[in-house]
Amino acid sequence: MPTTPEPPTPSLRSATAPQVILNLVRGALIGAAELVPGISGGTVALITGVYERLIASVSHLMSAMTRLVRGPDRAAGVRAELRRTDWWLVGPVLVGMAAMVLTLAGVVEGLVSANPVASRGLFFGLVAASLIVPLRMAWASAPDSADPRDRGPVRLTDVVLFVLSAVGAFLLIGLAEGETLAEPPMWLVFAAAAIAVCALVIPGVSGSFFLLAIGLYSTTLQALSSRDLGYIAVFAAGALVGLVTIVRGMSWLLRRHRRATLVAMTGLLVGSLRALWPWQTSPSGDADGVGVLLPPGGDMLTPVLLALAGAAIVGAMILVEDRLSRRSGIPAGVEQDAARPAV
């Protein structure tokens, strides 16, 4: 029985020197965003115009790994998927991200540790303003969604899911106290990296904020700054596993139960703001840990102004995204999901 030949594999696209430099700059901006709780690398990728191409290339890389493990035609399948990967984009972006993260990690960690109240104020404004991103995605048009509940007005189940997620996150962070773990177990580093990498795929979700909430933010920045190769290797391995497993799972949830997933995600972010309230005690002398919440006091102006500045930064990024979306003719919030890899 004759078989249908596979369509020809597109060749690698070429790139000029200015394009490579531009992609390096894009990677540097994404890397800088990943260092700051509240700013999502995925959102920056959207704003700089490379989100869809990056997601498509990551999808091909994940498919190559799947073909290598499962087959059939392992060698031919892997080569085909790797040829579909836009290496002229992925390579420079990864180099730019790595350079920025390794260069600024120590600077950011030092500023956070030396100015805990001010930095929490800035991060609070960044995260609070970014809540609009997953909410807009939740109610954006999703004609291809498999779940009919993704369409229509707000339902009681949406409100209940949001409240339960927010309360759960608030209580869990309060129990854990968010204290910085100076010597965390490597399994925790691995698992945290696998979850935090979702920020690269889901605009509006900050991987750094997740690390801050569980007490690994300063520890990870210190490891990057001091070139702790053991820690970095475990973190990188966890991020790779997260791309292959958790990100694919999130992609499935966003296609099959889009609104419920985004509503729950927004609730988790709201509850996790407990970790960023500027005025709180410092557990065990840990300057940037999470302690007992206190009423505003002392120098109230600085954290408030920084919170407003953080919200303004996110607001400006959202406005830029809206303008780009209008130019492309795709409503904001739809483009993000349309570009996600199939599972």
Side-chain angles (χ1 to χ4, degrees):
M1 180 177 178
T3 58
T4 303
E6 292 186 3
T9 302
S11 58
L12 285 172
R13 70 172 68 186
S14 59
T16 63
Q19 288 174 329
V20 172
I21 294 174
L22 178 59
N23 289 336
L24 283 169
V25 173
R26 287 165 165 162
L29 293 173
I30 295 171
E34 286 301 309
L35 290 174
V36 180
I39 300 182
S40 166
T43 299
V44 175
L46 264 175
I47 292 171
T48 56
V50 295
Y51 180 80
E52 291 183 79
R53 290 165 57 196
L54 279 176
I55 291 301
S57 291
V58 170
S59 178
H60 290 310
L61 290 174
M62 292 162 62
S63 296
M65 297 178 64
T66 301
R67 291 290 293 271
L68 180 63
V69 174
R70 297 180 181 177
D73 300 327
R74 287 182 172 84
V78 170
R79 286 197 300 269
E81 293 296 339
L82 292 180
R83 282 196 295 268
R84 294 187 179 101
T85 303
D86 189 353
W87 292 106
W88 288 109
L89 172 68
V90 173
V93 166
L94 289 178
V95 171
M97 287 179 61
M100 186 61 68
V101 167
L102 293 175
T103 301
L104 292 183
V107 176
V108 174
E109 194 281 328
L111 290 174
V112 171
S113 297
N115 306 279
V117 175
S119 61
R120 280 197 293 260
L122 173 63
F123 297 159
F124 189 96
L126 289 167
V127 175
S130 68
L131 294 174
I132 192 175
V133 177
L135 283 177
R136 292 200 315 169
M137 290 170 63
W139 272 270
S141 175
D144 58 341
S145 174
D147 191 345
R149 291 171 295 183
D150 285 347
R151 296 179 288 275
V154 178
R155 297 179 174 86
L156 178 61
T157 53
D158 297 325
V159 177
V160 171
L161 182 59
F162 175 86
V163 172
L164 289 177
S165 300
V167 172
F170 186 92
L171 294 177
L172 285 175
I173 289 179
L175 291 174
E177 290 191 338
E179 184 175 346
T180 296
L181 304 176
E183 297 182 0
M186 288 299 101
W187 67 263
L188 179 59
V189 175
F190 183 94
I195 298 174
V197 76
C198 290
L200 292 174
V201 179
I202 307 172
V205 177
S206 169
S208 291
F209 178 47
F210 171 74
L211 295 178
L212 179 64
I214 65 172
L216 288 182
Y217 179 67
S218 292
T219 305
T220 301
L221 292 187
Q222 289 171 2
L224 291 169
S225 179
S226 62
R227 311 296 190 267
D228 186 342
L229 297 182
Y231 188 104
I232 294 173
V234 172
F235 194 92
L240 179 61
V241 170
L243 278 175
V244 178
T245 56
I246 294 178
V247 168
R248 290 174 74 90
M250 288 298 301
S251 177
W252 183 87
L253 285 172
L254 286 165
R255 281 202 328 277
R256 303 300 293 268
H257 307 286
R258 183 172 184 268
R259 180 184 291 185
T261 301
L262 290 168
V263 167
M265 186 186 307
T266 308
L268 291 173
L269 288 172
V270 170
S272 299
L273 283 172
R274 184 199 191 286
L276 297 180
W277 180 250
W279 301 277
Q280 52 188 281
T281 60
S282 299
S284 304
D286 184 12
D288 50 329
V290 178
V292 177
L293 301 184
L294 300 174
D299 180 14
M300 294 180 12
L301 183 62
T302 298
V304 169
L305 290 178
L306 287 173
L308 294 175
I313 291 172
V314 173
M317 295 171 68
I318 293 173
L319 290 176
V320 172
E321 179 192 341
D322 283 344
R323 177 168 296 182
L324 293 175
S325 298
R326 284 196 296 269
R327 287 181 180 177
S328 65
I330 302 175
V334 176
E335 180 180 10
Q336 294 95 313
D337 275 356
R340 286 198 171 83
V343 178

